[in-house]
Amino acid sequence: MPQPVIQLHELRKHFGPLRAVDGLSLEVEAGECFGFLGPNGAGKTTTIGMMLGLLWPTAGRVLLFGQEVTPLRTAVLRQVGALVGAPGFYPYLSGRENLRLLARLHPEVGRGRVDEVLEQVGLEAAAARRKVKTYSTGMKQRLGLAAALLQRPQLLILDEPTTGLDPIGMAEMRQLLRGLADQGVTVFLSSHLLHEVQQICDRVAILRQGRLVALGPVADLLAGHRDLEEVFMKTVGSR
Ligand SMILES: Nc1ncnc2c1ncn2[C@@H]1O[C@H](COP(=O)(O)OP(=O)(O)O)[C@@H](O)[C@H]1O
Ligand SMILES: [Mg+2]
């Protein structure tokens, strides 16, 4: 058996009495597009924060490529591209200039790579020359994904990446993420957009109050249901 790319073991994060993540275990294999679903407050962002070494787990472990991640052990994150929340860029520099600065921090990233990723995320040359402060949320999101792709990561961890995109932008993002997964990149994607996830993900987990309420291939979860929306309402809708 090949090593899973992501392993979460009994992961917990408590904020005082609140169990934001309440004993979460799951594994994601190489090349999977994995959807991490759940209503607002389910614990998606908290889980991703622990996966990226931004938060200490209350208990449990995160392993990426078989290596443990904590806020003090982040070496493996060099192989990981991430997009969490609104990405921060220098507003008075252009999109391309921002990426060039980032590329300079990584000697293994060649100069040509900046234009490659800009094209990949659909930021056209004219847009890439504009100052980031003039960007729409959707454009910033694309630039954030471009930044995440610079180092050709084998794992992408994305928290609600289609936030702020219009329907065309969403369809493009979907195509892009599916294409990356088809090239062997593992994609871990949180979303509350079931329709989206249903179209691009191989497997999904549904989280509710920090616990898994469903986990499996999209096709299996869909069996006997109209769509993922119906599965979601049945598993998390009843309170
Ligand atoms: N730093 C924090 N302090 C206290 N509570 C938090 C903190 N971060 C998140 N929470 C709470 O943890 C729960 C899970 O939040 P979050 O992981 O952001 O959910 P999701 O991303 O699924 O919407 C929510 O009830 C949220 O209010
Ligand atoms: Mg969130």
Side-chain angles (χ1 to χ4, degrees):
M1 276 286 282
Q3 171 98 265
V5 170
I6 299 174
Q7 293 167 283
L8 307 182
H9 292 299
E10 283 297 312
L11 194 60
R12 292 182 177 279
K13 182 70 187 180
H14 299 176
F15 295 110
L18 175 74
R19 297 175 171 213
V21 177
D22 193 10
L24 176 63
S25 297
L26 59 84
E27 295 191 342
V28 178
E29 306 293 331
E32 273 195 286
C33 181
F34 190 90
F36 194 46
L37 285 166
N40 284 334
K44 303 182 296 296
T45 298
T46 303
T47 302
I48 287 175
M50 292 189 281
M51 291 168 72
L52 296 175
L54 301 170
L55 278 176
W56 281 103
T58 303
R61 301 169 74 205
V62 174
L63 302 174
L64 302 181
F65 301 104
Q67 294 181 47
E68 182 139 27
V69 175
T70 74
L72 294 176
R73 289 192 64 170
T74 56
V76 70
L77 294 173
R78 270 187 241 123
Q79 301 167 50
V80 178
L83 182 56
V84 176
F89 291 107
Y90 293 105
Y92 289 97
L93 297 181
S94 72
R96 178 184 276 111
E97 286 164 342
N98 268 283
L99 291 190
R100 286 213 169 131
L101 270 181
L102 282 174
R104 240 191 269 158
L105 299 176
H106 304 285
E108 73 282 9
V109 173
R111 228 177 134 85
R113 181 73 184 147
V114 166
D115 290 321
E116 237 170 71
V117 292
L118 282 169
E119 190 182 325
Q120 220 174 347
V121 301
L123 268 183
E124 281 150 20
R129 277 195 298 269
R130 276 168 47 194
K131 289 187 167 122
V132 165
K133 70 175 180 132
T134 69
Y135 281 17
S136 66
T137 312
M139 289 170 75
K140 280 185 199 148
Q141 210 66 2
R142 283 173 204 242
L143 188 62
L145 185 63
L149 290 173
L150 268 180
Q151 312 163 67
R152 302 179 196 277
Q154 285 309 295
L155 169 61
L156 271 180
I157 297 178
L158 311 167
D159 194 14
E160 311 263 4
T162 52
T163 302
L165 297 180
D166 61 19
I168 294 171
M170 280 187 181
E172 285 173 3
M173 178 73 85
R174 201 154 63 220
Q175 222 174 19
L176 173 60
L177 295 180
R178 187 62 251 176
L180 287 163
D182 290 342
Q183 287 163 35
V185 176
T186 308
V187 178
F188 184 92
L189 157 79
S190 91
S191 180
H192 59 268
L193 299 171
L194 313 177
H195 180 67
E196 283 258 292
V197 163
Q198 180 181 333
Q199 290 180 58
I200 60 168
C201 290
D202 305 301
R203 283 198 305 143
V204 298
I206 302 180
L207 200 64
R208 179 194 179 193
Q209 294 175 358
R211 289 169 171 267
L212 274 190
V213 290
L215 172 67
V218 171
D220 292 6
L221 292 180
L222 281 174
H225 298 280
R226 199 175 51 239
D227 54 19
L228 213 47
E229 188 99 37
E230 192 180 287
V231 177
F232 188 77
M233 290 316 287
K234 277 196 182 152
T235 48
V236 305
S238 50
R239 282 174 193 271

